[in-house]
Amino acid sequence: MENCCGLLTGKNEPVPLKQVEVVVQVRGHVASVSSTLQYENKEEHPLEAIFVFPLEGETALCHFSAKIGETEVVAELQEKQKAKEQYDDAISSGQQAFLLEESEESPDVFQLSVGSLPPGEKASVTLSYVTELAVQADEALRFCLPAVLNPRYAPQDSGSVPQVTSARSVPYTLSLSVQLSSPSPISKVESNCPLEPLKYLNTEKTQATVNLSPGHTFDRDVELLAYYSGAHQPTAIVEMGQPNTKSGSLMADPVVMLSLYPEFPAAVTSSLASCGEFLFLVDRSGSMDCNMHSGPGAQLRIHSARDTLLLLLKSLPIGCFFNIYGFGSTHDSFFPKSVEYSQETMDQALEKVGVMQADLGGTEILSPLKHIYSQPCLPGHPRQLFIFTDGEVWNTKEVLDLVKRNTLSHRCFSFGIGEGASTALIKGMAKEGSGHAQFITGTDRLQPKVMQSLRFALQPAVKDIAVKWNVPQGVSVTPLSPPINVLFQGQRSLLYAELTGQFAEAAEGSVSVQYHLGEQSVQNQLSFSIKPGENTGLTIHRLGARTLIRTLETELRTAEQDEQEGRSKEEVERLRKRVIELSVQSGVSSVLTAFVAVHAGSSEPVKGSLVRRHVPTYGEAMMGSPMMCMLGSARMAAYSLQPMACMASCPSPPMNLMMARSAVECDDYESLSISCDDSEFEPESFTSHSAWGPSEDMEVPEPPQPPKDVLLQLISLQKASGSWDLVAELAEVFGKTEEEVAKQKPSQVDSGVWATVLALLWLHGFRLEDEDEWQLVAMKAVSWIRAQKGGSVSQCVQAGNALLGCQVQQGTLGL
């Protein structure tokens, strides 16, 4: 499969995909999805349509069929090379054929090929998959239907250059219907796209339907948030096997899915670490100069990253070490090595954060990660790595392998910014790095999600995790999930296991998770019925198979690297055979298999020369028209890819650039000139750090940004120790003058204590809804006040309430 996202031809060529229809069935924590794509060839020649599209990184693609006229052809899952050869043979002989394959570089990108579609012919293809629903901080379960496939940045030495399409808008629409069922009542369903009203199907409100409003153009990710009553409860679902399947195989035996929510002792969760090495790796590629979303008042991504770094730097504990890295085509750091957190180093870092720009070209994350992992860890300071990126790289699996090799030296917390961020990359880095992943899309704010992850990072690391099964005699358990290597308070962990043996009618089992948290030993236990429940369409089996396939694929990549170093070839062949066997047996695609279907219903081959058409996703469609295509030169890729990905959301692209087809075939960057209306736009006007930056003599004003949040103004004034000084800027936050604030200070009270108490009162009295963002800042302030000698805190609280016009109790402040 080529590393491309469609082919730019420079002509306004017709695209055969006309409509996408999606049906989703949500059952508790998982979803089954059926997506039908309607094609029509209105050209005079037979054609091959190529559609590259994204899916969630943990999706199990399990069915593919095509319908031509009244004839339906169900695809067969085969070893990938065999499937490709069958497809090529079919279209070369004029037969209609279909091929669906997973990218070898990133498991969240797929390519659908529709071959030899005759002139005037219609065809529909249906693909089905199952996926887990991610748990959000507000207890919602998130389903995402990705529409945006941003171009994945290819490093200059990779020989892989993504290509883009020239379509100005996506020429197809989306219809979406969702059916929900849950053991608990469904409270509500929210979306970033217009929905029709939620309809309940029973009085218990455990079943409901909701549809996307008609006429939706597939111009963004469709995100659904389902809220259940009591969703965050440990559960176990046992699914029966498939009848008439080979005995002893995975699909024949029952499979159990466990949703575990560990509960840590309160004494442990209330105390946060005061040590650690905190490394912040920030994407400064051109695409970070895009808006966070397309609505009014949107920040640039890079500006949101600046505000987030401010909040992080103010929230770090005294005694820790930190450093900040930026990456693009190159990478740099604020300090040569990690420095101890102090007022001086914090001020130095904040000064650099304030001028940080998206000026480092493309997105090459592998090199800075290698540099970070090459640095020695600091004794007594566990390494915590925070990665912020819009997640557009092609070498995803290489990145994940690197993180996995260093999993014992750090925890990795990853953040996908904006629509189109690779779920495989963001979730994969967190999984392999024993951390936590977050996605920021639509109007989401980055800061509260980052602060949740910082609280996780400050929790004591969970060690010695062991899962123990207690099942009746005669029943055995074969885990399908890899061993748990990370647990966080209240965060879900999913486990899959195969059950074999003889099952009594009322058999009961249990699973316990044991671990050490600091010096304390903790055990959480869940009991469940072993009797298989209702038929859920093998959803649990396929998710379990997908989990095992991903684990085997990782082992295979490691074995292939070992083979290159002269080690055993037998292990590589054994793993390849096992992946293909499990994939074909379960019907779940893998990197080594592909779905292929050949329509043999017509004895006459399709006549005429075959024309290839690439169907755009939204990310491609929006970047093609205002900017240039990706050329065959790897050097050009480094200059132009990232800004094109975000032209639609950038507030003011420099010009509406158009390019002739001949430029696509140009391999000489220096000879390229681009027609811009009646003028010529020369490559020399590109700067070394920006793909469409102004020339040196051109001054382009920065687009207006939303006014700075008064909460961030308050936090920016806090000192590293956790205290505030009584200054005019602080009084301004309170809506007072410095003299008014100083006049109300109780006598014998230090001005720093007074200012810090006032800041705490303001936070609790006026910004309680943002507590997730300022909680750690407030904890530092409380610790500082407690360490001060003299002064009456109760007097300060009373006088502060009167000054600010609020009624916050001293106990509420933690004092």
Side-chain angles (χ1 to χ4, degrees):
M1 177 175 167
E2 297 177 359
N3 292 340
C4 63
C5 305
L7 177 64
L8 178 64
T9 65
K11 295 181 179 180
N12 189 20
E13 296 171 331
V15 175
L17 180 61
K18 299 303 177 185
Q19 187 177 10
V20 180
E21 299 176 358
V22 181
V23 177
V24 182
Q25 291 187 323
V26 175
R27 295 187 181 94
H29 288 235
V30 300
S32 302
V33 185
S34 176
S35 181
T36 300
L37 292 77
Q38 304 283 351
Y39 288 87
E40 182 179 2
N41 181 9
K42 292 187 175 182
E43 300 190 39
E44 297 178 355
H45 307 279
L47 57 78
E48 178 186 21
I50 306 296
F51 184 33
V52 180
F53 62 96
L55 289 175
E56 287 281 293
E58 297 177 349
T59 290
L61 188 61
C62 54
H63 173 83
F64 176 52
S65 62
K67 189 175 183 180
I68 304 97
E70 296 301 319
T71 304
E72 183 176 13
V73 182
V74 178
E76 181 182 356
L77 189 59
Q78 299 181 3
E79 188 273 328
K80 181 178 285 188
Q81 187 57 38
K82 180 182 176 182
K84 285 183 174 182
E85 290 173 358
Q86 184 177 347
Y87 174 81
D88 291 339
D89 290 344
I91 63 171
S92 64
S93 62
Q95 292 180 295
Q96 296 170 350
F98 305 84
L99 180 70
L100 180 59
E101 57 181 312
E102 176 186 313
S103 166
E104 294 183 2
E105 288 77 20
S106 185
D108 62 345
V109 178
F110 291 81
Q111 176 172 299
L112 171 62
S113 303
V114 180
S116 294
L117 191 61
E121 184 73 87
K122 294 182 179 180
S124 66
V125 297
T126 299
L127 57 95
S128 301
Y129 61 90
V130 293
T131 186
E132 300 163 356
L133 301 182
V135 181
Q136 305 300 289
D138 63 354
E139 299 192 356
L141 293 173
R142 176 179 181 265
F143 169 78
C144 181
L145 183 68
V148 178
L149 178 61
N150 287 340
R152 302 295 168 82
Y153 184 79
Q156 296 183 37
D157 60 354
S158 69
S160 171
V161 181
Q163 296 174 306
V164 300
T165 178
S166 63
R168 289 174 178 256
S169 62
V170 174
Y172 47 88
T173 58
L174 169 71
S175 66
L176 174 70
S177 63
V178 183
Q179 301 173 2
L180 303 100
S181 63
S182 168
S184 305
I186 302 164
S187 302
K188 59 180 178 179
V189 177
E190 295 179 347
S191 177
N192 62 331
C193 301
L195 294 177
E196 294 181 350
L198 180 69
K199 296 181 180 179
Y200 290 106
L201 303 180
N202 59 7
T203 55
E204 295 82 8
K205 295 186 176 182
T206 57
Q207 297 181 5
T209 65
V210 66
N211 297 326
L212 199 63
S213 296
H216 177 76
T217 54
F218 209 173
D219 59 354
R220 75 196 79 168
D221 290 355
V222 179
E223 183 182 68
L224 293 175
L225 298 176
Y227 293 83
Y228 303 153
S229 299
H232 280 209
Q233 296 296 325
T235 58
I237 300 176
V238 180
E239 183 180 71
M240 67 178 65
Q242 186 175 24
N244 304 320
T245 306
K246 180 181 176 182
S247 177
S249 66
L250 171 62
M251 303 307 287
D253 295 324
V255 170
V256 59
M257 180 183 76
L258 301 176
S259 300
L260 304 175
Y261 288 89
E263 291 294 332
F264 296 171
V268 176
T269 57
S270 61
S271 61
L272 299 179
S274 59
C275 59
E277 181 190 23
F278 296 87
L279 304 179
F280 306 109
L281 179 59
V282 182
D283 191 340
R284 287 174 51 191
S285 63
S287 57
M288 289 292 287
D289 229 2
C290 303
N291 285 343
M292 290 289 291
H293 58 87
S294 58
Q299 271 189 307
L300 294 182
R301 295 177 186 177
I302 192 66
H303 289 181
S304 182
R306 286 186 203 164
D307 290 346
T308 301
L309 287 172
L310 163 67
L311 197 55
L312 284 166
L313 287 170
K314 294 293 183 176
S315 303
L316 291 179
I318 291 291
C320 75
F321 285 74
F322 77 99
N323 202 351
I324 298 175
Y325 294 81
F327 73 94
S329 300
T330 61
H331 65 271
D332 58 23
S333 61
F334 282 14
F335 305 100
K337 62 180 181 179
S338 296
V339 295
E340 187 171 0
Y341 180 71
S342 66
Q343 186 66 43
E344 180 182 3
T345 55
M346 184 190 75
D347 288 342
Q348 291 174 356
L350 287 173
E351 183 178 355
K352 295 180 179 182
V353 166
V355 296
M356 189 173 66
Q357 300 291 337
D359 57 0
L360 292 184
T363 307
E364 293 189 27
I365 195 173
L366 193 63
S367 180
L369 283 175
K370 287 180 177 179
H371 173 77
I372 288 172
Y373 293 143
S374 70
Q375 304 300 305
C377 293
L378 302 175
H381 291 274
R383 177 170 288 174
Q384 316 281 359
L385 176 60
F386 287 67
I387 301 177
F388 304 87
T389 180
D390 48 18
E392 302 165 9
V393 299
W394 269 109
N395 54 344
T396 298
K397 292 181 180 178
E398 192 176 358
V399 172
L400 300 187
D401 288 343
L402 177 64
V403 176
K404 183 178 179 64
R405 289 197 299 271
N406 292 274
T407 187
L408 298 179
S409 67
H410 77 305
R411 287 196 290 184
C412 180
F413 299 86
S414 54
F415 304 88
I417 302 174
E419 294 180 338
S422 167
T423 57
L425 177 68
I426 304 303
K427 291 182 178 180
M429 288 190 296
K431 179 181 178 181
E432 301 298 352
S434 303
H436 188 253
Q438 301 264 26
F439 289 88
I440 298 88
T441 60
T443 57
D444 288 349
R445 282 172 54 82
L446 178 60
Q447 289 81 10
K449 294 191 174 185
V450 171
M451 297 313 295
Q452 181 192 46
S453 292
L454 181 58
R455 287 192 292 274
F456 288 157
L458 290 170
Q459 290 178 7
V462 175
K463 300 179 180 179
D464 306 324
I465 304 173
V467 177
K468 295 187 177 181
W469 296 83
N470 180 22
V471 292
Q473 187 174 3
V475 176
S476 61
V477 177
T478 303
L480 302 175
S481 303
I484 299 176
N485 59 2
V486 61
L487 289 173
F488 293 111
Q489 164 68 21
Q491 289 299 297
R492 182 189 67 185
S493 293
L494 287 177
L495 289 179
Y496 298 93
E498 179 183 0
L499 304 177
T500 56
Q502 299 298 318
F503 299 87
E505 184 68 22
E508 293 284 333
S510 66
V511 61
S512 63
V513 182
Q514 301 174 350
Y515 50 90
H516 286 92
L517 192 60
E519 301 298 322
Q520 193 167 354
S521 178
V522 184
Q523 176 174 306
N524 300 139
Q525 184 168 310
L526 172 65
S527 298
F528 61 94
S529 171
I530 292 182
K531 181 182 178 181
E534 63 181 59
N535 185 0
T536 53
L538 297 175
T539 299
I540 307 302
H541 280 73
R542 285 168 175 148
L543 287 172
R546 186 282 323 270
T547 300
L548 182 55
I549 287 170
R550 292 287 183 251
T551 301
L552 293 170
E553 287 175 344
T554 301
E555 293 178 6
L556 175 60
R557 292 198 301 273
T558 302
E560 287 173 338
Q561 293 169 1
D562 292 343
E563 183 185 11
Q564 292 175 0
E565 297 172 2
R567 299 177 185 174
S568 173
K569 294 182 179 180
E570 289 77 10
E571 180 66 5
V572 172
E573 289 304 314
R574 184 190 70 81
L575 288 169
R576 285 182 61 87
K577 182 179 179 181
R578 177 66 176 131
V579 169
I580 294 171
E581 179 184 69
L582 180 59
S583 175
V584 172
Q585 179 193 100
S586 63
V588 174
S589 71
S590 72
V591 71
L592 299 180
T593 54
F595 285 98
V596 63
V598 176
H599 181 217
S602 174
S603 58
E604 289 192 21
V606 177
K607 297 180 180 179
S609 58
L610 191 64
V611 178
R612 173 172 287 198
R613 295 285 182 262
H614 283 250
V615 181
T617 62
Y618 176 67
E620 304 164 350
M622 294 313 296
M623 54 177 187
S625 82
M627 202 57 189
M628 65 180 60
C629 77
M630 188 55 52
L631 304 185
S633 163
R635 176 181 178 185
M636 192 62 201
Y639 279 79
S640 62
L641 179 56
Q642 289 297 334
M644 291 193 299
C646 65
M647 276 293 176
S649 57
C650 286
S652 54
M655 4 183 132
N656 183 21
L657 302 179
M658 302 298 294
M659 186 173 71
R661 178 188 178 96
S662 59
V664 179
E665 300 164 358
C666 173
D667 290 323
D668 183 4
Y669 165 74
E670 302 298 336
S671 66
L672 173 68
S673 65
I674 305 165
S675 173
C676 179
D677 297 325
D678 295 326
S679 61
E680 292 289 320
F681 189 81
E682 300 293 340
E684 285 75 8
S685 65
F686 286 77
T687 69
S688 61
H689 287 311
S690 171
W692 56 268
S695 58
E696 293 183 1
D697 58 350
M698 182 189 302
E699 184 175 345
V700 178
E702 189 172 277
Q705 287 293 300
K708 194 174 183 68
D709 187 353
V710 67
L711 172 62
L712 290 177
Q713 292 183 34
L714 175 78
I715 292 174
S716 69
L717 298 171
Q718 189 185 35
K719 300 170 71 174
S721 62
S723 67
W724 275 267
D725 287 337
L726 184 53
V727 293
E729 292 82 359
L730 180 64
E732 183 181 350
V733 171
F734 304 147
K736 310 289 183 182
T737 65
E738 184 178 358
E739 291 74 18
E740 288 175 321
V741 175
K743 185 177 180 180
Q744 299 300 318
K745 179 180 74 69
S747 59
Q748 309 302 317
V749 172
D750 177 77
S751 61
V753 173
W754 170 236
T756 304
V757 170
L758 286 176
L760 287 173
L761 288 171
W762 187 88
L763 290 171
H764 283 273
F766 299 101
R767 296 302 291 265
L768 190 60
E769 69 276 10
D770 298 315
E771 186 176 9
D772 285 345
E773 298 184 39
W774 54 257
Q775 184 181 44
L776 295 177
V777 166
M779 290 175 65
K780 285 178 65 174
V782 169
S783 297
W784 180 84
I785 291 173
R786 286 175 174 171
Q788 305 309 302
K789 297 180 179 179
S792 174
V793 173
S794 58
Q795 286 184 342
C796 289
V797 172
Q798 184 177 359
N801 276 322
L803 175 66
L804 300 180
C806 52
Q807 297 179 343
V808 180
Q809 300 298 314
Q810 182 173 337
T812 302
L813 303 179
L815 296 172

